Amino acid sequence: MKFNLDGLDVYFPYERIYLEQYQYMRALKQTLDASGHCLLEMPTGTGKTVCLLSLITSYQYAYPNRCGKLVYCTRTVPEMDGVMEELGVVLAYRSDRIASDRAAASAADDDDDEDEDEDVAAKGVGTTSGDDPTSSSSSSSSSSSSPSDKSRRPGKRRRVVVRREEGPEEKGGKGGGGGRRRTTRRMGPSSDAGGAGGNGSLALCLSSRRNMCVHEGVLAASDREGVDAACRSMTAPGRRGPDVVDAAEAEAAVVPGVVRKEEEEEDGGADEGGGGTCSYYDGFREAGEATSMPSGVYDLDEIRRWGKSKNWCPYYLTRRAINHASVLVFNYQYMLDPKVAKMVSKELESESIIVFDEAHNIDSVCIEAFSVTIHSRNLERATRSLGRLSREVNRVKATDGARLQAEYRNLVNGLVEQGLLDGAPPPGGGDEGDGSAASSVVRSVDGGSGLASNVLSDDVVNESVPGNIRRAEHFIAFMKKIVEHLKARLRTLSGPGGGVTSETPLAFLHRMVTTTSLEAKPLKFSYARLSSLLRTLQVPNLDDYDALTDVADFASLVSTYSEGLPRFAVIMEPDVGGGGGGTVPGGGDNPGIQLACLDSSLAIAPLFKRFGSVIITSGTLSPIDLYPKLLQFSPCISASFNMSTFRPCIHPLVITRGSDQLPVSTRFQDRGDMAVVRNYGTMIVELCGTIPDGVVAFFTSYSYMESIISEWDGMGIMRQLTKSKLVFIETKDVVETTMALDNFRRACDSGRGAVFLSVARGKVSEGINFDRHYGRAVIMFGVPFQYTLSHILRARLEYLQTQYQIREQDFLNFDALRQTSQCVGRVIRSKTDYGLMILADARYNRHDKRSKLPKWILQFLGDGQLNLSTDAAIGQVKHFLRIMAQPVDQNSLKEVLLTVEEVEAMTGGDSHAPFITGDA
């Protein structure tokens, strides 16, 4: 449909629209009109993505001069592909609708011309040639006005009748639900008149080399690091580029890490272009400015396909086409991590619209972008990297000393003049965009017209590099002292006075300066100076220097944020645990130093300052009022929307007691109780015996899931469970979990049914949907609080209490309940879908816990669904499934859908009414 929303023509690719979709798009438009930021919580499965794309692309089309790019940030590659698929549908519909409207307008003009001709002819009957000088032409026109002659009249266009056909009703759609038009997604170069969307739109995905490479030899590598190393070897600036003027000399040059032809043939990975180079990259470089992309929507598959057909590297092609695109879709890290943000930030106008979808954990992403962890083994790798650097510097001094001398002169002029802050990195060296913490060398800073730097302070940006680290050999000696100091600090952790130590950056810096006799100011330049040196040496295998890069990053951050309010904490532990920021004290087998960022606003503050509109949205933002405090911004609109539905498709249940009436909970003091373990086992067996198809169960942690499964196995519960469903378990290994998910879906498709045991905060809870028969119920065992003995978490809680007056328990409840909402929200993905949300813990019965669930869940949670035993819950489950088994009433479904006329009436009635923040 095409409807008018407060003066804006919105192109929405469905025949009807839900009320919450209309409210959501209206809030978006008011945000864009006000050039402000917003927080919007949209019920899951109600077409949030298509609403975002329809409204913002319509806004771009209507106001091309005041609206920049749409930058859509997602978390995973499948989500990225889903966004591009929806965008292909939206732009295809808009292109078709614009074409049909123009054809209809042309037909209407023809009708007006014909009526005018008939009027003139009628008037000409009673006039003479003396009365009107045009009477003879009018008479001749009247005398030859037969339909056949009229159709051949010069300058006249044939009448075109455009009939819009209704599409079939889409029962499982996440959009309008009342029938999509016969418009399919169009990927790749557009063949529509005027280009994609009717205005020549270009939409691109950006991802890592592993997801975009088309070179068979490079793709043979099994992991990201291998793909990156192979790609850099074939595109190293030491082997090609403007700095190479003599081909023979370049061929004879010895560049570490370059894969030669003989080595490739031995490995069975010979390149199509031969000589250890990439033919696609060669084709891209040879084409030069001709490497432009036509209008269209390009997902990752289409980019690879189109680039391969042109013999151009898709990875570098997309990065050159960034400034020509109107829509960009990529990972959060491209905007939040200052180490990789430079690659895209300099191409974005301040009028660009930034969207963070599924942003319920955005504060955690911001903190991770500024946190650095260094293990003892990383320091050993850093020492070896310094040795390699020293040898490489000696080699370059002997063969090409002018290169190092030129770098020295640039460093005297400062970082901006050198190009580290404002210039683009050379092709093939340091332009990495996979979002990893150490994926690029020239990646940390951006000044001037680009994104404001959080890593470098003003004196670093505006001043020249200190003299004691300008020369390469002096800088290497400087870094050796830093590495040795960190090693010495870690050795003290296992001594008599060892243990966990927490310091402020100022205290840590003071001890470092006192012990090593280093100056504090050069430490601020460590990261940028290392970037400059690696670029000057034209190092292809940057992954070999990851550990050294982390040390330089650590030194720069500590020295930069040592003054003023302590926004970081330096925590040293004898045994650094993994995952989720939690640390478990151990026996000193894995000592490490962690520079933990405590303020999540550091990463996102430059975005709020630079861009007019930043949209933070998800299905699970409740309690929504805590995000402005955590991210330190003032949204112009903050709203949470209810779900309009024609039947109670969601049925939340709070189970507080087992069948023996004993309370169930995963509290630390109760989780080892055999009665609780047995009641949880009986609960899942009875639920899986009652609920058909797929069931997903979430536990609070991997350790708790492993322990309770072990106990269930000893009690015989696992054998009982396998009688009704196949059992699959999430592990920390991504490949194993992916295979388990695939087999889980196959079991559900075959009718056997399956139960998937997974972990909150894990891979399954964040990016996997269990729609339709894959997820008829989600069981949440316990409340997924963070590990409260984590020293990093304790430091952050203290910071939030001191600076933002956020109480410790309030933040812990907020974090746990948003994770719960994210887990149970996996069960429903459309209005015609249905599912059970079972919260199995006595603490969910407390008002302070369940009140933090999203509004669209609370609207289905009545008093009769609280404080249930397992037996009572089974009765409600059977009743709910009996109701949901009835055929969908299409008439009732259409009652919750708005037609174009109803939307226009709503817009006309309240177009000037203010939007009330908080509730919709």
Side-chain angles (χ1 to χ4, degrees), residues 335-355:
M335 294 302 296
L336 295 177
D337 191 343
K339 308 178 192 69
V340 295
K342 177 188 177 181
M343 187 190 66
V344 295
S345 64
K346 62 187 178 65
E347 307 292 350
L348 301 181
E349 314 94 326
S350 60
E351 296 82 12
S352 297
I353 302 167
I354 314 299
V355 175

Side-chain angles (χ1 to χ4, degrees), residues 163-231:
R163 295 183 177 88
R164 301 191 185 99
E165 299 181 8
E166 299 287 337
E169 291 192 347
E170 187 177 68
K171 297 183 179 181
K174 294 190 293 184
R180 180 180 291 186
R181 288 189 181 276
R182 289 182 177 174
T183 302
T184 58
R185 65 185 180 95
R186 297 172 192 162
M187 310 302 289
S190 175
S191 58
D192 298 334
N199 66 338
S201 298
L202 174 62
L204 295 175
C205 279
L206 275 73
S207 188
S208 63
R209 286 177 169 91
R210 183 177 61 178
N211 294 326
M212 304 190 74
C213 184
V214 292
H215 190 286
E216 297 296 335
V218 173
L219 291 176
S222 59
D223 56 3
R224 181 193 63 81
E225 289 78 8
V227 171
D228 291 346
C231 178

